[in-house]
Amino acid sequence: MERSGPGRKTRPAPQPRGHRENLTGYLFMSPWIAGFLFLIAGPMVFSLYLAFTDYNLFDAPKWVGLKNFTDMFADPRWRQSVKVTSWYVVIGTPVKLAAALAVAMLLAQKRWGQSFYRAAFYAPSLIGASVSAAIVWRALFSDDAVVDRGQQLFGIDAGGWIGDPQMIIYALVALTVWQFGAPMVIFLAGLKQVPRELYEAAEVDGAGPWRRFWSITLPMISPVLFFNVLLETIHSFQIFASAYIVSNGSCGPADATLVYTCYLYDQGFANSRMGFASAMAWLLLVAVGLVTAVLFWSQKRWVHYEEGGR
Amino acid sequence: MTPMDTTAARRRLPGSLAWHIGALAILVVVLYPVAWTIGASFKPSGDIVGALNLFPADPVTSNYRRLADGIADIPIWKFFLNSAYISVGSVIGVVLSCSLTAYAFTKVRFAGRNIMFAIMIGTLLLPYHVLIIPQYVLFQKLELINTFTPLLIGKYLATDAFFVFLMVQFMRGLPKELDEAARLDGCGHLRIYWSIVMPLCRPALITSAIFTFIQAWNDFMGPLLYLNEPDKYTVSMGLRMFIDQDAVADYGGMIAMSLVALLPVLAFFLAFQRYLIDGMATSGLKG
C-alpha cells in the first residue's frame, strides 16, 4: 500500500480488479462449484443418459432408446402415481394456503398474544415432515381411533381412513394442512406491510370486508402469495416420507398413496430399474418445470409489485 | 372521552373477545396431535388407539421402559447418536460452505458471478428426487454406500441453495462502509469474511443452523437410501423398524420413541423460535 507522507493527500484504496479478485472469488466459490459439478450438474447429465438405458446397477447400462418412456406410459401403476400425486397437489396446496392466509389475517389484527399464537401455529411445520408425525397421524386416523370416533358422533360409520383406499389420501392432505404455519408466517409478514391508510380510505368509501379483502389485501400481498404458491406446489410434488410411513411402507392400500416419489423409489431401489427410475425422475423435472413456467407466466396477470422497484 | 370514543371502545371489546376465542380454537386443533402423543405415550399399548381420554387416568411408564430394550438388539441411544452426528456435521458444513459462497456472491467481483448466481437460484427449484438415482450410482461406485458421507458431503459443498440465498440477502443488507474501511486498513477478503462479515451475520447463521439441524434430524429418504446396517440407522430409520415389526403389538414403544425423537426439534424451537420465524418471514419478502 502506498504510504502517505506529510502534505500528501491520502487517496481511497483503489477497488481491486482483475486476476486477484477473480482468484479470490473462485477460491471462495470452490466448494459450491465442486458441489454443483459433482452433485448436481454431473448427476443430471448422467441421469439423462440413464433414462434411455436398461440398467440394474450391476451390469453395464444397455441403450434401449425410448423404451423406458413407452413402458412408463403403458404402466398402470405409473399412471396411478401421477393421479395420486396430482390429486394431492391440487387439493393439499390450496387448502393449506387458504388456512395459512385465513389464520394470518386473524393474527394480523394485532392483538395481545399474537407472537405466542404465531409461534404455536408454526411448530407443526418443523415436525410435520418427520417420521414421528407420520406415525402419530397413522394412529389418529386408524380404525376406532380419534377421527373414526369423531365422525361416529356425526352419525358417519365409515371406519378409519388408513385402511380405506378412498380416504387415506385425505389423511395425507390433513397432515400437510396441519403444517400451515410456515406459509402463515410469510403471509403475516406480507400483511404487515399493507398500508393501513388504504383500508381506512376504502372504509370511508363504504367498502365492506369482502371488498376490502379482494381489492386491497389480495393485490397488496400478491407477491407473497405467488412465492407461497410456487414453494408449496414444488414441495407437494416431492412428498415421500409421510406417504411411505402413513401407509406402513406400502404406499397402499391398493396403491392409494402411491405418490410419484414412492413409485420412483420402488422402481429404482426395490426393483433396481435404474434406467426406468431415471426416466421417471426426468418426467418429474419436466412436470415441475412446466408448472413453474405456467406460474411465472400467469403472475403477469395477478401479481402486483410496488412501483418504484426495490 | 367523547361519546364517539366510548362507542368505539365498547365495539372493540366483543371483537377482541371473538378474536381470542377464534385463536384459541385454532390453537386447540393445532396442538391436539402433540397433546395426544404425550398422553398416548403414557397409556398401555392396547389403549392407545381406542381410548377417548386424551390423558390416561392411570399413566404407565412401561412404554418408556420398553425403549430401554432397544429394537432388534440395537440400543435406542445408538440411533440418537447417529442422528446427532449427521445433524451437527450438517450444521457445520452448511454454515461454513454456504457463508463462503454467499460472501463471494455479495462482496467479491469476479468474472461469471451473475451467471453462477442465476444457476444457484435455479437449483432452488430443482426437485431433489431428480438427483437420487445418479447420486446413488456415484456413491455406489465410490463404495460410499452404508457410510455417512453421502448424507454429509452436499452440506460441505454449499448445495443447499436456500441457505446460500438467505445469507446473500442478509449480507447485502450490511453497510458497505464496514468492509471498505477494512480494505483501507489492508485487510484481505478472508479476514473481512471471518472477522467482520461472519459476526455481523450471526442471525442468518443461527437461522440456517437451526433449519439445517431440523432438516437433517427429520430426514428419512437419505438414510433409507444410504444406510443399510441397523447399527448405522438414524432415529427416522429406527422408528421405521417399529413399523416393520408388528406395529399393533408395540404401539406404545413406537409412540414413546416418536415423542422422544421430536424433543430435540421442539427444544430448538422453544429456544430459537424468534430466529426461525423471522427467518421464515424474511424468505418470502426479499429477492
Side-chain angles (χ1 to χ4, degrees), chain A residues 23-48:
Chain A
L23 184 61
T24 302
Y26 280 94
L27 280 176
F28 272 71
M29 290 289 297
S30 55
W32 180 84
I33 291 172
F36 176 73
L37 292 178
F38 289 104
L39 295 180
I40 298 178
M44 284 194 70
V45 172
F46 186 48
S47 176
L48 184 58

Side-chain angles (χ1 to χ4, degrees), chain B residues 69-91:
Chain B
D69 296 338
I71 310 171
D73 294 331
I74 309 289
I76 296 292
W77 60 262
K78 199 66 157 64
F79 301 134
F80 282 82
L81 189 62
N82 291 338
S83 284
Y85 176 83
I86 294 171
S87 300
V88 172
S90 296
V91 167

Side-chain angles (χ1 to χ4, degrees), chain B residues 92-103:
Chain B
I92 294 170
V94 163
V95 168
L96 288 179
S97 68
C98 292
S99 60
L100 278 171
T101 305
Y103 181 90

Side-chain angles (χ1 to χ4, degrees), chain B residues 51-63:
Chain B
L52 279 182
N53 52 330
L54 192 60
F55 296 107
D58 298 299
V60 298
T61 56
S62 52
N63 297 332

Side-chain angles (χ1 to χ4, degrees), chain A residues 21-22 26 39 106 248 310, chain B residues 19 109 111 135 183 243 287:
Chain A
E21 195 78 348
N22 263 357
Y26 280 94
L39 295 180
L106 179 74
N248 224 32
R310 54 182 65 177
Chain B
W19 186 90
R109 287 204 213 139
Q135 281 184 0
R183 298 194 73 95
I243 293 180

Side-chain angles (χ1 to χ4, degrees), chain A residues 180-212:
Chain A
F180 69 84
M184 174 206 77
V185 164
I186 295 172
F187 277 132
L188 196 47
L191 288 168
K192 285 180 179 175
Q193 300 195 352
V194 180
R196 174 174 276 276
E197 296 79 41
L198 292 183
Y199 289 120
E200 288 167 353
E203 204 157 357
V204 168
D205 286 348
W210 182 247
R211 182 53 185 268
R212 290 201 297 270

